[in-house]
Amino acid sequence: MRRRHAQGFAYIWTLLLVAFMGVGLVLASDLYATAARREKERELLFIGHEFRNALERYYASTPNDGRPRYPLTLQELLQDPRSANAKRHLRRLYADPVTGKAEWGLLLQQGRIVGIHSLSPQLPIKQDNFLDEDAGLRMKAHYADWVFTYPANLFIAQKDGEKKSGLSLGMK
């Protein structure tokens, strides 16, 4: 009779062990998913800075007429059509790490690209502690609100006067 009683407890302990392992796996998968999202956010910030720097280089490399301009397309950042030599301001057109697609929202001013943003409607995990140049990314509700322009404060400075300045959102 004692043997049966002991076997019942072993079975219960085994069930509890399996249950605890299941809970542990769920917690571990949540931690992994959060870590993966944080990595995608870091990647989005890196890529946003790459586009901002490319827009700055494009704008600063003045053509023959002496007037600085923004590009008409993202392809112009890969090979600047204004110069005879192959001038590259961006190595490649990056895919959005959050959506996984090579599509970006474009910020246009007078038909020219002044910035990009993600098209993801997801809520960002990172809400604060950005670099000074990314202060405009604080407390945003969507990754699509993370805007990378050159200069970094262009969108913030013109937010009140959007209609006057011709700032518009475009999609590619």
Side-chain angles (χ1 to χ4, degrees):
M1 184 137 185
R2 266 185 161 233
R3 251 187 174 170
R4 259 190 181 176
H5 190 63
Q7 287 176 349
F9 277 115
Y11 182 70
I12 289 173
W13 282 113
T14 304
L15 285 176
L16 285 174
L17 179 65
V18 169
F20 285 133
M21 286 175 56
V23 169
L25 287 173
V26 167
L27 292 175
S29 68
D30 283 347
L31 287 174
Y32 176 77
T34 301
R37 278 195 53 206
R38 286 189 187 277
E39 180 59 32
K40 287 180 181 183
E41 284 182 354
R42 279 191 288 277
E43 214 175 319
L44 179 59
L45 287 168
F46 171 78
I47 291 169
H49 291 157
E50 288 291 301
F51 273 105
R52 179 182 290 151
N53 294 336
L55 288 167
E56 178 182 11
R57 286 189 293 272
Y58 187 96
Y59 188 82
S61 63
T62 307
N64 295 336
D65 65 2
R67 291 185 346 189
R69 290 189 193 100
Y70 289 103
L72 289 169
T73 66
L74 292 177
Q75 294 295 331
E76 289 184 18
L77 295 174
L78 296 178
Q79 185 163 358
D80 193 342
R82 302 173 303 170
S83 63
N85 300 338
K87 194 169 196 179
R88 298 175 66 89
H89 303 285
L90 191 65
R91 290 182 197 197
R92 62 185 170 100
L93 290 180
Y94 296 95
D96 181 343
V98 180
T99 64
K101 300 177 183 172
E103 296 177 8
W104 294 94
L106 303 177
L107 285 134
L108 304 173
Q109 188 174 42
Q110 299 171 351
R112 295 187 173 271
I113 300 169
V114 296
I116 59 131
H117 63 88
S118 174
L119 297 175
S120 173
Q122 285 184 316
L123 174 70
I125 295 173
K126 186 175 177 84
Q127 292 290 320
D128 206 350
N129 298 322
F130 289 97
L131 298 173
D132 289 341
E133 64 191 23
D134 294 330
L137 306 181
R138 290 185 66 241
M139 307 308 284
K140 297 298 183 184
H142 309 284
Y143 289 116
D145 298 331
W146 284 18
V147 175
F148 300 94
T149 61
Y150 173 74
N153 64 353
L154 177 70
F155 187 66
I156 297 166
Q158 294 183 349
K159 194 168 188 173
D160 296 331
E162 282 183 71
K163 292 179 183 171
K164 292 178 187 172
S165 67
L167 187 65
S168 64
L169 295 176
M171 296 211 191
K172 179 165 183 188

